[in-house]
Amino acid sequence: MDPSVLTTLKILITGESGVGKSSLLLRFTDDTFDNEQAATIGVDFKVKLINVDGNNVKLAIWDTAGQERFRTLTPSYYRNAQGAILVYDVCSRQSFSRLDAWFDELETYATNTNIVKMLIGNKIDKDRREVSREEGLKFAKKHSMLFIEASAKTKDGVQMAFEELVQKIIQTPGLWEADVTSQRGLSLSDRTQAGQPWSCSGYCSMV
Amino acid sequence: MADQEDEEVFEIVDFTSASEWEVFISRLEEILLSWQLSLKDKEEVVTSFVDLNGDWKSSSEDISFAGHPFILTHHWVEQSTVTNEVNKVELVTDKKGCQVFASLMDNRHDFPFNCLPLAKYYGLSDFVVITPAGNEMLTSEDRINLLLSSITIAVGNIQSRAPVFVQIHSKSQQLYQGTFECKNLRTDFQMVHLKRIPPTCKCLSGLIELFKDKIGSTPLEPVDLSICWTYSLSDVRNGGWEKWPQPPPDFESMGGVVGNAALGQLGFGAIRDPIKEIRVSAVWTGLNEDVVVDSEVYSDLDPVQAPLWIARLVLNEQVPSLLIKSLCSFLDLCRSSESIEQLLGKNYTVLQSPDSPEYERALGALTKERKGYGLLSSNRLPFGSKKAQTGGPIPEAMMVNLLNYLFPDAEGDLESQTHPYPEQFQTDCSASIDSTWKEFFSAFKTSPVDSLVWRLATAAVYTMTHLNGIEGVAHLWHEIVLELRFRWEHGYTIPGLETGGVPDLNYCRLYQKLQMLNCCINHKKAGNSAPPVEATDEDEFYDAEETLESMEATPQKERHSVWNQPQGRKERTKMKLLRSGETLYEPVTQALLPMTEDMVEEQSEMMEQLGDNAEGSELRARILSASLLSDMEAFKAANPGAEMEDFVRWHSPRDWIEEEVMTSDGCKMEGRLSGRMQAPGNLWQEMWRAAKPIVAWRQKRLFDDTKEAEKILHTFSALRPAQIATLLLPTVMHASIHRLLEELRPNIQLPDAVSNCRAAIAKIVQIARHSPLDLQQYEDLLPVLQKIEVRLSQFNSLRRRIIDYGDWEGIDEFVTRLLIDGNVSLTGGSHSPAGKALLKAMGSLNKKDTSSGLPSPVKKEFVLRAMAHRPGNGSTCSCQKLFCSVDEDSVRLAGAWTQDTLFY
């Protein structure tokens, strides 16, 4: 592994089909956007190197298909993930009401008990909103998640969402250190308590 | 100090001719000063009572006298709560404020049980001891006196607040002489230890006489007395333990044919009795010589009436225990290197699928009646070798027991099974365990409680411990693999696994592999049988809601040409095909790919290797599209004439966008594919075009059950016993802690056992997730588990003993305190509940019929105290103390005699 990389984190994106999971990911990794982004078959995978608080962190992000028929394939990808992003479409009530099922799946299959969970309400650029920000906040609060609304199309919130998630993972003791013990002892324990468990500390919730 | 520095530098002070004892004294003073024991220019703070059973500390320095090395050690009790109750202890002497005198005269310091001998003899909580270094011994009177007088000088010079003792004679004898000086009063500590017991020492009256003799003058007040008589409840001395219930399990009965009950449970408990003895002391304090008579012929002292009893526990150290012993041998098994063939010979070589007619014949007869064990019995009719195979290391009857335990369904119906599997597996824990532990159990990556893997683990531990060790394990595994192969080949489901369909990655790999094998068996069974009953058009007759349509069933059917008959319909949906308007059917699809953890890892590794660029993405999509293509083909088969739009509506409903469109006829819903599905060059469209209508069971198998099953069975049969054990190890650990928790009844409050359990569980949860497994981490767990097991055995053993002689509400609390603190004071003596039980126990041990109903004490201890003018009547009144301990073969007298150094 590149010695300048502190750790590699595994992050999983799930949610109903067509809510813009792949678009969010591509906006973050390649800063591109395709209105007609092809429906993911099974799972896809992207790598991105980001810098959080002066540490280089490699992100291996698994983008899953939302279709019911692919669902049996995805549970295995929850394994050893340190972060999970649940996406819904703010213009689709149905994609929001299915979140419970997605959350249950996440709880069932995640092997890291303290996996950091984030809820993203996507497509805020569109004008026919069906799910209010408050509803999203409420869901996130209930399930101790990070919450942000974003738009892959206009870039709003995308970068912040991923950065915040990574920061939170790095600050969670025992979640990732096991991978780096052999490399170097970097103590982050002095700032493990950051904000409330459910809301982004700082700038996320201001979006 | 400052004055000395200002002195004339030219004045020469000569130390060259200092004698050896001068050097010794100055060194002694120097050390005592460095320990801050000097009371020069200081007021001593006197603590009235110090718990001598408390936390003892010590520090040591080397010192030598005339070339002989000594070790100087300061012992003291670390006081948790310092109370300045100087006034509470009213010393009769006008020299108030001396800790040593206060300690000597305080009868609350009598008979401590957990402290240094010197502290016990004199009730001191702070003192210094000089011991000859190495194996040297101080025996000559002259040398002892020389040393003592040197010490007296040093102690006087610095006004030490702690007495200084010299250890004499052999170290094990614990003989000391010492000295202390405070405000013109000097105390000499003297001690004798006699093998022959003089008659005067056997009773109180003799001792009082001796005490007064030694003082030489009449004490101010009658002699103050503390008395402690100790009785022992032990196996050796009184031959009494045999009367207690026998706690350790009886191994002899387990050697032969073992009841299945023993199979299902890991062994538990200490192998030897963890309790050595219980000592009961009857204690009297604050008596005086005028009210008590205790002579050789008569005694007022009746221990049954003593106001205070103290129960003390003496444990057997390092008692081996069953569970740990079996875990140790199991870890040895994990480190072994032999293969099954090496252990059992050629007849047990890796078996490939046998095709020989002999094999079939052997099985044919058996399978008519039994579901399994075909191969256990066929073992008598060996395939591959003509020679009849001699029995393996495990006797056949035992092996049948073991296999019945692992595969109970082979015995027949549920009713006829000795050990049926539970209907539902408890992932957390069984009812026998306190529910507060449940939360800890869900995180174990092992196997469900009492599942096949769980039973395999306990059976392997059992075999390793009680049946032929490693050879036994090899034999057992050999039979298990044969059984599994039999079940695979003959389509019998493996019992004792959760029926989830796909391997559950929350469990250990062995469990997943067995689940996978079950997937293969079920898949094969399903594949071999006729195609599943389809939802045909005829079904529509029974569908009440659409009677009209069903009437048209026949003509509908005719609409499809012979080569285009719908096939593989699973369920009707409410949707209609866009072009033909026919009902859209959900197709029968291929079973989803079951995967075990290692397969998942392999797959995601491969996915990762494809890279994160566009090409990689496309390759991944193509690899993963096999199931999509299979779905499309099945869909086309079930719905002839269907369009991609129809497929998308079933497969990815959110890609079908319906919008209200205003037409001339008014408002109407119109649907279309989403942009991404319409986009040109889209993989979905490409695949839809390529897909042929093929019903699921005619398609290329996505899941090759034969390949997977053979792969697993081959791996299984090639495993060395060490590898098998390693696969089972996490479950063995889980079962072990589970076993311990079964013993830890909810009402037991053993804080150390509980916290050790918590620590062990947390550790097991953590290391069970590690892959590859690190044996050392498991080994490191054993001491913790042993502590728990020994502690619980001690509790059980002790409780069983006591309860035999009395059961009362507080028995658990009494047993717990006795275990944890080592002693319990019973106010009310024999009249307290615990006292009653102990009295009964002692009575039952007593063979001689004495008046008190008690056996003779194993030890009698007396403390005599008085204030007296010594050496002359004009001297200051000072404290005098004699401690006497008489046991069966010796007597120890320890006196502290104080005298005035100014006024004779």
Side-chain angles (χ1 to χ4, degrees), chain B residues 114-180:
Chain B
N114 185 25
C115 61
L116 299 164
L118 263 176
K120 180 182 168 147
Y121 304 150
Y122 294 113
L124 295 171
S125 55
D126 187 354
F127 53 88
V128 176
V129 180
I130 296 179
T131 321
N135 292 325
E136 280 204 55
M137 255 192 264
L138 272 174
T139 43
S140 113
E141 200 81 10
D142 289 349
R143 283 176 60 194
I144 295 168
N145 285 337
L146 181 60
L147 205 56
L148 273 173
S149 54
S150 312
I151 291 167
T152 311
I153 294 169
V155 166
N157 280 349
I158 66 151
Q159 294 178 22
S160 166
R161 68 175 153 87
V164 180
F165 291 87
V166 179
Q167 181 160 27
I168 56 177
H169 296 287
S170 100
K171 279 173 194 167
S172 60
Q173 253 189 304
Q174 298 286 355
L175 270 179
Y176 302 88
Q177 301 227 352
T179 181
F180 174 70

Side-chain angles (χ1 to χ4, degrees), chain A residues 16-19 36-37 39 41-47 62 67 69-70 72-73 76-77 79 92 94-95 108 111, chain B residues 505-506 589 592 597 600-601 603-604 607-608 612 617 620-621 624-625 628 631 651-652 654-655 675-677 683-684:
Chain A
E16 282 292 288
S17 75
V19 295
E36 312 297 341
Q37 176 63 39
I41 293 173
V43 286
D44 203 1
F45 168 76
K46 282 273 173 196
V47 174
W62 292 87
Q67 282 82 3
R69 293 283 304 160
F70 291 123
T72 41
L73 189 75
S76 46
Y77 289 92
R79 275 179 48 75
S92 160
Q94 185 255 357
S95 76
T108 313
T111 51
Chain B
L505 305 193
N506 287 318
T589 49
L592 284 145
E597 203 169 298
V600 170
E601 270 164 22
Q603 197 195 43
S604 51
M607 294 288 168
E608 269 187 65
D612 77 327
S617 281
R620 262 191 296 275
L624 292 170
S625 65
L628 181 61
D631 281 355
H651 200 283
S652 181
R654 283 176 46 82
D655 279 302
R676 62 177 183 173
M677 286 296 178
L683 190 59
W684 289 63

Side-chain angles (χ1 to χ4, degrees), chain A residues 23-161:
Chain A
S23 297
L24 281 170
L25 178 56
L26 284 172
R27 172 59 82 194
F28 173 61
T29 55
D30 303 359
D31 200 16
T32 57
F33 181 77
D34 179 357
N35 238 333
E36 312 297 341
Q37 176 63 39
T40 307
I41 293 173
V43 286
D44 203 1
F45 168 76
K46 282 273 173 196
V47 174
K48 168 106 174 165
L49 207 66
I50 69 164
N51 189 292
V52 178
D53 303 336
N55 298 310
N56 282 327
V57 177
K58 189 174 155 189
L59 303 180
I61 311 170
W62 292 87
D63 175 24
T64 64
Q67 282 82 3
E68 190 82 30
R69 293 283 304 160
F70 291 123
R71 288 274 291 276
T72 41
L73 189 75
T74 47
S76 46
Y77 289 92
Y78 283 97
R79 275 179 48 75
N80 303 329
Q82 285 103 345
I85 300 175
L86 243 71
V87 187
Y88 68 96
D89 175 355
V90 295
C91 301
S92 160
R93 168 62 55 187
Q94 185 255 357
S95 76
F96 183 74
S97 48
R98 291 276 300 145
L99 280 179
D100 281 313
W102 287 104
F103 188 81
D104 284 349
E105 189 179 282
L106 170 61
E107 289 284 275
T108 313
Y109 296 111
T111 51
N112 281 322
T113 44
N114 49 357
I115 183 172
V116 178
K117 291 160 266 191
M118 172 176 254
L119 182 64
I120 300 184
N122 192 24
K123 306 196 187 178
I124 49 168
D125 54 286
K126 287 173 129 184
D127 46 10
R128 282 161 58 191
R129 186 189 264 269
E130 288 181 18
V131 184
S132 72
R133 187 183 143 74
E134 284 63 41
E135 285 174 284
L137 259 174
K138 212 174 123 193
F139 185 92
K141 182 175 183 178
K142 184 175 160 199
H143 294 105
S144 308
M145 303 169 87
L146 298 164
F147 175 67
I148 190 169
E149 287 193 334
S151 163
K153 191 171 185 170
T154 63
K155 295 191 192 187
D156 281 323
V158 178
Q159 187 72 20
M160 292 176 200

Side-chain angles (χ1 to χ4, degrees), chain B residues 687-759:
Chain B
M687 284 170 63
W688 177 256
R689 276 195 297 275
K692 297 180 192 72
I694 307 174
V695 74
W697 57 85
R698 299 233 167 78
Q699 289 173 6
K700 182 173 177 274
R701 285 283 176 88
L702 290 177
F703 175 57
D704 187 343
D705 51 31
T706 309
K707 190 181 124 202
E708 288 304 331
E710 287 298 339
K711 219 163 78 185
I712 293 172
L713 288 171
H714 185 266
T715 316
F716 276 3
S717 60
L719 289 177
R720 284 180 288 112
Q723 294 171 306
I724 301 156
T726 310
L727 284 171
L728 290 170
L729 190 56
T731 306
V732 167
M733 278 295 164
H734 182 181
S736 303
I737 193 79
H738 192 269
R739 182 75 186 85
L740 292 174
L741 289 179
E742 277 177 349
E743 293 292 326
L744 185 68
R745 291 178 297 125
N747 53 335
I748 304 182
Q749 296 297 324
L750 288 170
D752 56 339
V754 170
S755 64
N756 278 334
C757 278
R758 274 172 214 275

